[in-house]
Amino acid sequence: QDFKCNSKSIYLRYFCISFHYVWPLPQIVIPSPERYQLKPQSFSFGYRRNLDTKHSCSVLDAAFKRYFSILFPGYTYGDENEVFTLTISLDRHDCQGYPNQDSSERYKLSVFAGQASLNAETVWGSLRGLETFSQLVYQDDFGSYYVNKTEIEDYPQFNYRGILLDTSRHYLPVQAILKTLDAMAYSKFNVFHWHLVDDPSFPYQSQKFPDLSNKGAFHPVTHIYTQSDVRRVISYARMRGIRVLPEFDSPGHTKSWGKGQSELLTPCYRGDTPSGTFGPVNPTLPSTYQFMASLLKEVASVFPDPYIHLGGDEVDFSCWRSNPYIRAFMHKMGFGLDFSKLEAFYIEKIVNITSVLRKTSIVWQDVFDYHERRKFLSVVEVWKQGCYLCEVRRVVKAGLRVILASPWYLDQPGPTHNWARYYNVWPLAFKGTEKQKSLVIGGEVCLWGEYVDATNLSPRLWPRASAAAERLWSNERQTSCVERAFPRLQEFRCKLLRRGIQAEPLYVGHCKHEYQSGIF
């Protein structure tokens, strides 16, 4: 796709001379130089038609208090004698459930003299509209608050816009996860992909299998996520319109599992004798699938999202190859020496288990690449470097849905100005039919944990992840120019600082409100 920065877009030129900036850029914006002063003591949120208490929405009630503090730091929400009111209306009263893949996030926001109206199809769309309104409000040099007359119609380009955090390689305190969820909501991300466990540690505290964390976590008390912790994260995410997608990656990346679950991993051999080391999950034993069914049943009951990520990547076949019992099983099954068929055999059984639990499986692209029978797969996450759009095209041609992660790996340090690299990604820039392109449900930023813990989590993510956020939310033809995006991202980074997010600087400059620890 040939996007040129010199395209004469009246829309963009008009928008960019405004006093304020919104990130990610809404689909349709009609701004105006006409502005209205906002006073904290006379501002309120409300429901259309003065809905009584039983029709109010706990998600929105909490959001009103949260966004009042964001709009007017230091003031208390709830003062009387309102002069300016932002009125909310919903097409569907869906405040009791959880966001899902099909949840609408469409909203319409109108700001005019003395009031503003926000209409959304769902409560999740209203949360996105509240975030946009919060970014429209600005202060002059004397500290007075203003908002310009504005009309916005907005909706995301992709329904899946995720952030992956890895809590196995380094343990992330719950508070660090919650702060990341806040920052995700500011950028309109809507999926927290929780890569809970891996080779180094198993911090998830299972009720059915407590030894998994007792023996597999870095520490069985201080470095685990209790059931209460998990519920807290899920609830916190829900109040911000964010899904929590758990990943329990197998059969590889499971060394920590074996510490608390005997006979789960494959014994490796040196010649005819065991070497004392262990490899991937042993796919030949019935006990393996009994254990996985019990664990996944618990996971399905704890995490309300209809999707589970099953992993399936980077399986080292050398241990399987060394084990005579594995080779005998391979011969019996007619797999020959093709160990990818053994992996496929295992994954298919695990997918079937999740299907019985009425969960949809997501797998890494390795499963697609090495599996001849692909019809049982649903969603494939493309992560390998190289021609990732070629891989996307292969997956959608097979009729499967795709999540794109390859171009958005942020775990390695890099200069903040390389945000443009993550901005100039075009997920649909491959040859295919409209039906095939509709199978690309979105993408996600991956922050693996080898070099990331709570000390550098926020600056490593933000504001670079926000570049991907705009690519996944906004119209790509209206956001095709890095030069036009820069001042908006720079201003958004300042908003993040004011909201307590340690976002790295993009270049030389300053923010009116620099970062202060402990804010909010």
Side-chain angles (χ1 to χ4, degrees), residues 276-290:
T277 60
F278 295 87
V281 167
N282 190 332
T284 69
L285 301 178
S287 60
T288 291
Y289 303 102
Q290 293 167 4

Side-chain angles (χ1 to χ4, degrees), residues 66-85:
R66 192 166 67 247
Y67 275 104
F68 189 90
S69 296
I70 287 173
L71 290 170
F72 310 114
Y75 289 88
T76 302
Y77 177 60
D79 295 326
E80 298 180 355
N81 303 316
E82 296 89 353
V83 175
F84 193 104
T85 302

Side-chain angles (χ1 to χ4, degrees), residues 22 149 210 245 400 446 468:
V22 176
K149 180 180 181 180
L245 171 69
L400 303 176
C446 295

Side-chain angles (χ1 to χ4, degrees), residues 332-352:
K332 177 183 175 182
M333 297 297 294
F335 295 161
L337 295 176
D338 188 349
F339 288 90
S340 66
K341 290 183 178 179
L342 182 61
E343 179 190 359
F345 171 82
Y346 170 83
I347 290 290
E348 189 164 347
K349 280 185 171 291
I350 302 303
V351 169
N352 288 339

